[in-house]
Amino acid sequence: MIDKIYHQLIVSCQARAGEPLRDSGIIAKMAEAAVMGGAAAIRAAGVEDILAIKRAVSVPVIGLIKREYPDSDIYITPTKREVEELLSTDCEMIAIDATSRRRPGGEEVKELLALAHHHRRLVLADVATFEEAKAAQDLGFDAVATTMAGYTAYTRPLPGPDFRLLRRMVRRLFIPVIAEGRIYDTRDLRKVLKIGPHAVAIGTAITRPHVITERFLRCFKEGKYGKSRQKFEK
Amino acid sequence: MIDKIYHQLIVSCQARAGEPLRDSGIIAKMAEAAVMGGAAAIRAAGVEDILAIKRAVSVPVIGLIKREYPDSDIYITPTKREVEELLSTDCEMIAIDATSRRRPGGEEVKELLALAHHHRRLVLADVATFEEAKAAQDLGFDAVATTMAGYTAYTRPLPGPDFRLLRRMVRRLFIPVIAEGRIYDTRDLRKVLKIGPHAVAIGTAITRPHVITERFLRCFKEGKYGKSRQKFEK
């Protein structure tokens, strides 16, 4: 699987509760479209979506479960319970939040990693900082992704990808680094590729039409347009 | 309707035969997502899709029918037959190819326009050149769009929007001008908005995940990435 995604595009296919596309059948169709477009792997959340995607396409799947707990800010595969659930699918890789934040119930990330490895699944560390990426490598994670950069209390949300973090990770780690987070257009992607990650994951810009629409709409509010007018002349 | 789309975003929701999302139910969900994201109108092809979209959302719909005829290159609402079919839906506006090319069966665009107007539908002219836009205005079209620019034998396919054509149309026509075609990212959109069209229509970049995936993937083939390598150092 690690070889299969080398210098390839991973497409994240997710929809949250309340979104029009929140349906495992539609998510599987989205995955089909991504694979038709050339995606080498799919990242997906929840057992139902992963099972539907596995039926629809034959590329590797990075599985995760998003669940909130009252005693932790971690929501991507936070506890062993979510790892167990993912083990019920045949996803090739499991993504786990590997930030330094306290986990629900005081569990330790190495316990989740050991559980997944025991069942021969590859494990991807979603991190927010270089220190967390390094710690994930030291713990034995199979790969690391910049997914959480900008989404923790201690990392600032940049408008685009965190190129600095990515560069540091690519330069200084020996495990594969996956660039993920806020890659919105081909300009962002070209900059990311110059840094040379093992693979790139894109979600929103491909599979979340309402967020793409919102993003385009914000341009309309940037002032100039409100004032521009069509000239009336024949 | 013309007022409702003033300085607004129209999202085109279409999928071709053979594409994973080719399903009127899914297209309607896409339209819902677009409206949730802020779209003020939907552009859609085919009676079945238009009906499904009309059931799902309450914004105005620009309807068209794509059909190929052996004796013409025109495929967007080419004949009165497609206009009749669209009249069976309650789409507020009908988009018609108004290029200067010969129509199937030698029909004239003014016949299609008259038929739609007779049934009190607004009519949008999809054109490729300024001359065609001007002719559409003279014929009495309610609005004109740059949709066909780059998609006829006599217009070159630019990598992005045809800003020059759009500028000329916005400056010199008095009917509303809709910018449409190859607006892939917010940079393209900002440039379009500076020109000041009545409205902007975006399709592929929002609702065609397999084409977006392909577009991102092309960046991987641009040379540098194939050579870049992760450095192996601890």
Side-chain angles (χ1 to χ4, degrees):
Chain A
M1 148 113 197
I2 294 285
D3 287 345
K4 276 186 188 164
I5 61 171
Y6 178 67
H7 280 195
Q8 297 290 329
L9 180 64
I10 300 158
V11 175
S12 185
C13 297
Q14 301 183 36
R16 298 183 195 169
E19 291 180 6
L21 305 182
R22 181 50 266 152
D23 173 279
S24 292
I26 294 177
I27 292 296
K29 291 287 184 189
M30 279 281 187
E32 267 187 65
V35 170
M36 176 182 269
I42 300 294
R43 181 175 163 123
V47 168
E48 204 193 342
D49 282 10
I50 295 167
L51 293 176
I53 289 168
K54 272 289 176 186
R55 281 191 295 269
V57 299
S58 56
V59 300
V61 170
I62 302 172
L64 57 107
I65 289 176
K66 288 184 174 168
R67 190 169 286 147
E68 292 187 12
Y69 286 85
D71 60 338
S72 172
D73 288 334
I74 289 184
Y75 59 88
I76 293 180
T77 319
T79 76
K80 280 180 283 186
R81 176 182 161 204
E82 287 78 35
V83 175
E84 294 275 12
E85 289 175 26
L86 290 166
L87 291 173
S88 76
T89 74
D90 48 358
C91 67
E92 283 78 0
M93 185 177 252
I94 291 176
I96 294 177
D97 180 314
T99 61
S100 55
R101 299 176 294 184
R102 190 185 178 280
R103 303 193 88 79
E107 282 188 6
E108 302 221 28
V109 70
K110 63 183 174 189
E111 303 171 55
L112 281 70
L113 177 66
L115 177 58
H117 271 168
H118 179 72
H119 290 87
R120 293 159 190 258
R121 305 300 172 103
L122 294 167
V123 193
L124 173 66
D126 285 342
V127 302
T129 68
F130 176 75
E131 291 67 32
E132 291 168 351
K134 180 68 170 64
Q137 175 176 284
D138 293 344
L139 279 174
F141 274 88
D142 302 287
V144 64
T146 54
T147 321
M148 299 309 299
Y151 302 105
T152 68
Y154 50 92
T155 54
R156 59 204 168 124
L158 302 172
D162 192 332
F163 300 110
R164 266 190 65 194
L165 172 63
L166 179 65
R167 192 172 293 115
R168 209 168 159 210
M169 283 166 59
V170 168
R171 281 190 184 157
R172 301 195 39 200
L173 301 176
F174 58 81
I175 59 172
V177 173
I178 297 174
E180 173 158 7
R182 299 185 301 277
I183 299 169
Y184 292 122
D185 54 42
T186 50
R187 247 179 129 204
D188 292 338
L189 177 56
R190 283 197 190 93
K191 278 198 215 170
V192 159
L193 292 180
K194 275 194 184 151
I195 297 171
H198 184 86
V200 178
I202 300 181
T204 299
I206 297 178
T207 59
R208 299 190 73 202
H210 86 273
V211 182
I212 309 173
T213 303
E214 280 170 3
R215 196 174 148 74
F216 279 121
L217 260 180
R218 277 198 293 276
C219 297
F220 284 76
K221 283 156 194 154
E222 278 166 9
K224 281 223 168 185
Y225 197 56
K227 291 170 213 161
S228 70
R229 244 177 222 100
Q230 277 193 269
K231 300 221 177 103
F232 282 68
E233 52 178 274
K234 202 160 190 173
Chain B
M1 149 111 196
I2 295 285
D3 287 345
K4 276 186 188 165
I5 61 171
Y6 178 67
H7 281 192
Q8 296 291 327
L9 180 63
I10 300 159
V11 175
S12 184
C13 297
Q14 303 182 36
R16 297 181 195 169
E19 292 180 5
L21 306 181
R22 181 51 264 153
D23 173 279
S24 290
I26 294 178
I27 292 296
K29 292 286 184 188
M30 279 281 186
E32 266 186 66
V35 171
M36 176 182 268
I42 300 294
R43 179 174 164 122
V47 168
E48 203 192 343
D49 283 11
I50 295 168
L51 294 176
I53 288 168
K54 274 287 177 190
R55 281 191 294 268
V57 300
S58 56
V59 300
V61 170
I62 302 173
L64 58 108
I65 289 177
K66 287 184 175 168
R67 190 170 285 149
E68 292 186 15
Y69 286 85
D71 60 339
S72 172
D73 288 335
I74 289 184
Y75 58 88
I76 293 180
T77 320
T79 76
K80 280 180 282 187
R81 177 182 161 205
E82 288 78 34
V83 175
E84 294 277 11
E85 289 175 27
L86 290 166
L87 290 172
S88 76
T89 74
D90 48 359
C91 67
E92 283 79 359
M93 183 177 255
I94 291 175
I96 294 177
D97 180 313
T99 61
S100 55
R101 298 175 294 183
R102 188 184 180 278
R103 303 193 88 79
E107 283 187 5
E108 301 221 29
V109 69
K110 64 183 174 192
E111 303 172 54
L112 282 69
L113 177 65
L115 177 59
H117 272 170
H118 180 73
H119 290 88
R120 293 163 191 257
R121 305 301 171 103
L122 294 167
V123 192
L124 173 67
D126 285 343
V127 301
T129 68
F130 176 75
E131 291 67 33
E132 292 168 352
K134 179 68 170 63
Q137 175 176 285
D138 292 344
L139 279 174
F141 274 88
D142 302 287
V144 65
T146 54
T147 321
M148 298 309 298
Y151 301 105
T152 69
Y154 49 91
T155 56
R156 59 206 167 121
L158 302 172
D162 192 332
F163 300 111
R164 267 190 65 194
L165 172 64
L166 179 66
R167 192 172 294 114
R168 208 167 160 212
M169 283 167 57
V170 168
R171 281 190 185 158
R172 302 196 37 201
L173 300 177
F174 58 81
I175 59 173
V177 173
I178 297 174
E180 174 158 10
R182 299 186 301 277
I183 299 170
Y184 291 122
D185 55 42
T186 50
R187 246 179 128 204
D188 293 336
L189 178 57
R190 284 197 191 95
K191 278 196 215 172
V192 160
L193 293 180
K194 275 193 183 152
I195 297 171
H198 184 87
V200 179
I202 301 181
T204 299
I206 296 179
T207 60
R208 299 190 74 202
H210 86 273
V211 183
I212 309 173
T213 303
E214 279 169 4
R215 198 174 145 74
F216 278 122
L217 260 181
R218 276 199 291 277
C219 297
F220 283 77
K221 284 156 193 153
E222 278 166 9
K224 281 223 172 185
Y225 198 53
K227 292 171 213 160
S228 69
R229 245 177 222 99
Q230 278 193 270
K231 301 225 176 98
F232 283 68
E233 49 179 279
K234 199 155 187 175

